[in-house]
Amino acid sequence: SGVVKVEPNPAHDFVLIRFANSNPNRTISIFNSSLQLINEMKAFERFVKIDINDFSNGIYFLQIEDGKSAVLKKLVKY
C-alpha cells in the first residue's frame, strides 16, 4: 500500500500520513481501542492530514487499504 510514515506519533491535534505514491483506490479507516470504526476517508494524494483534536486521549488504529493490501498502524493520541 506504499505507506511511508504516520507522524507525529504520539500526536495531539493532527496526524500526517505520508505515502510513497498516489493511489485513487486508497481508503483510511480509523478505529478506537475497542476496534469501533470512528472515521473513514478516501486518500487520493501522497499526503493526508487528519485532524484528531476531537478524539479522546488513547490508542487508535489506522487501517489503510488500497484494493490489493491493507496495513494497520497504531496511533497514540495524548
Side-chain angles (χ1 to χ4, degrees), residues 1-5 17-22 26 28 43 45-48 64:
S1 61
V3 178
V4 177
K5 279 196 173 144
I17 303 175
R18 209 185 302 238
F19 299 100
N21 51 29
S22 299
R26 192 176 281 136
I28 301 172
E45 305 300 323
R46 289 186 58 200
F47 301 94
V48 179
I64 301 152

Side-chain angles (χ1 to χ4, degrees), residues 49-63:
K49 186 176 180 177
I50 301 173
D51 183 339
I52 60 169
N53 267 308
D54 295 337
F55 290 20
S56 302
N57 291 355
I59 293 172
Y60 295 86
F61 296 96
L62 306 177
Q63 179 178 289

Side-chain angles (χ1 to χ4, degrees), residues 12-29:
H12 182 64
D13 43 15
F14 72 91
V15 64
L16 185 67
I17 303 175
R18 209 185 302 238
F19 299 100
N21 51 29
S22 299
N23 182 335
N25 298 317
R26 192 176 281 136
T27 303
I28 301 172
S29 304

